[in-house]
Amino acid sequence: YKKLALLVAALMLLGMPISIATPLLIKHLIDVVVPSGEQQRLLLVGAGLLGLTFLGQGLSYANSLLNQRFHLLVLNRLRRHLYAHLLHLPFHFYTQHDTGYVMSRQRDDLKNLSGVMADTFLRAAINLLRALIFIALLFYLDVGLAATGLVLTIVFFGANLLFSRPLRKRNEAVQEAEAQTSTALHEGVTGIRLIKATAREKFELRRYVTALSAYVRASIRRDRLEIFSEELIGMAATAGVYSVVLVGSYRIMNGASTFGNLFAFFMYLSNLFGATGSLMRLNSNLQRALSSLKRIYEVLDTPAEVSSTNARAEAPPQCGLEFQNVSFQYIPELAVLKNLSVKIPAGAQVALVGPSGAGKTTFAHLIPRFYEPSTGRILLNGQELSALPLFELRRLIGIVPQDVFLFDRTIRENIAYGNHVAEP
């Protein structure tokens, strides 16, 4: 959405001359028009100020609408991309990560990414340009006062950079605690039958409250630092404004400046603080966004399942299956299957019987390639499974899982989930 982002930036640039011209008009009004007593010139300048105000607000309104649209479109596209990647991740990813881990990346972390979007950096560049222009205008109006304002600006930036790293670390702690809270909530809702059957409501409530308390503590620590940094910068800004008032008043008393000049100076100084304030808020949002981006890329950097080819696999008339010296382990040095060899002829009906943990489910999961063998080969009609198109292979296999999962859809959709063209 580069064109939309550039349009947002263009509207900001169009509004810049208005913020530059308005203080100079007011200076002219106070220092020239008012002493002259000419009402016609007063009305003319007043009309100009109103026109600039309406134009500026119109540009600001259009800018806000387009900026909001840009963010929604980008987030929508990111959500689609992340969800598509999640659907194509290997089965073992979901056995190694709980549901809260996955949900928090898709739901919570994506909301924080506004700090690293293209329009944010364009805005930062434009605000930096505005700040430089306002600094130049401040020096044009009054060198002594401008030096004071420039020192204040440097103090603001220094204080903001000082808090950057601690804020990022505390944001990471908040996001991890939020993920744990999501996990506890999800398990409590999905496991409600077992919870009620074993009368463990109080235990699960304590577990959720513990996770929620950790989230609250992490949020308080993060917010405490954010508020402290904002208040510290605000205190410095207030002290700086008072300094400018005193110095400006002294210069007016000595005839080195005028009321109009001081008024225009304050307007430019206010605009300068607004531009630098936006840059400082950008840093706070950037730290939060970088923490979320790191967590999202933990998922996006996980390799998706790879199919050997995109060709369609034709359903063979018969399927003979053979395991040749197959071994598999979920964790190193703990084999679930070890050097297993078995040949199942086409048309055979085979039952796997054994105690819990013997490897029956693992054996079945290797056939649709939910997992890949650690060693050995699995052949279908003499051809290795790894050489077959992955998704077409799975379409040839009918599976009735041990645990029944129902989607929030119609009964027919659930029954025919694997075959949407099935006849009723």
Side-chain angles (χ1 to χ4, degrees), residues 169-228:
K169 290 185 177 298
R170 295 195 182 188
N171 275 316
E172 289 176 356
V174 170
Q175 288 157 345
E176 288 299 330
E178 193 170 19
Q180 294 301 319
T181 304
S182 298
T183 298
L185 177 61
H186 177 267
E187 290 179 347
V189 173
T190 56
I192 190 64
R193 180 184 299 178
L194 181 60
I195 293 170
K196 288 187 174 294
T198 54
R200 297 282 281 176
E201 291 92 341
K202 290 184 178 179
F203 173 81
E204 291 299 327
L205 178 60
R206 284 198 302 270
R207 184 170 177 270
Y208 178 73
V209 169
T210 300
L212 194 61
S213 298
Y215 168 71
V216 170
R217 287 195 298 272
S219 297
I220 289 174
R221 291 184 70 247
R222 192 262 322 270
D223 294 343
R224 185 189 302 144
L225 185 61
E226 279 189 349
I227 293 170
F228 176 76

Side-chain angles (χ1 to χ4, degrees), residues 277-341:
S278 296
L279 290 171
M280 287 185 284
R281 284 191 297 274
L282 166 69
N283 183 57
S284 177
N285 293 334
L286 181 63
Q287 301 310 316
R288 188 172 298 191
L290 288 175
S291 300
S292 293
L293 201 62
K294 178 183 175 183
R295 288 158 51 87
I296 290 171
Y297 268 95
E298 290 174 1
V299 177
L300 292 177
D301 288 341
T302 303
E305 291 177 312
V306 179
S307 180
S308 59
T309 175
N310 291 324
R312 293 186 64 84
E314 298 295 332
Q318 297 185 40
C319 291
L321 196 64
E322 184 177 0
F323 281 57
Q324 294 182 347
N325 297 316
V326 171
S327 297
F328 178 79
Q329 51 197 30
Y330 291 102
I331 57 177
E333 301 177 358
L334 186 60
V336 180
L337 301 176
K338 189 174 182 180
N339 296 327
L340 174 68
S341 293

Side-chain angles (χ1 to χ4, degrees), residues 208-268:
Y208 178 73
V209 169
T210 300
L212 194 61
S213 298
Y215 168 71
V216 170
R217 287 195 298 272
S219 297
I220 289 174
R221 291 184 70 247
R222 192 262 322 270
D223 294 343
R224 185 189 302 144
L225 185 61
E226 279 189 349
I227 293 170
F228 176 76
S229 63
E230 289 173 2
E231 292 299 323
L232 184 64
I233 292 171
M235 181 179 69
T238 303
V241 169
Y242 291 161
S243 301
V244 171
V245 170
L246 291 173
V247 174
S249 300
Y250 175 77
R251 290 176 66 79
I252 291 172
M253 290 171 63
N254 290 339
S257 185
T258 64
F259 284 108
N261 203 61
L262 182 60
F263 196 91
F265 186 93
F266 262 110
M267 290 192 70
Y268 283 131

Side-chain angles (χ1 to χ4, degrees), residues 12 41-42 86-87 136 147 156 223-224 228 231 237 252 258 318 322 347 353 355 362 393 397 410:
M12 287 191 69
R41 291 179 65 185
L42 178 64
L86 286 168
L87 290 176
F156 293 161
D223 294 343
R224 185 189 302 144
F228 176 76
E231 292 299 323
I252 291 172
T258 64
Q318 297 185 40
E322 184 177 0
V353 181
T362 302
L393 167 68
I397 302 172
T410 65

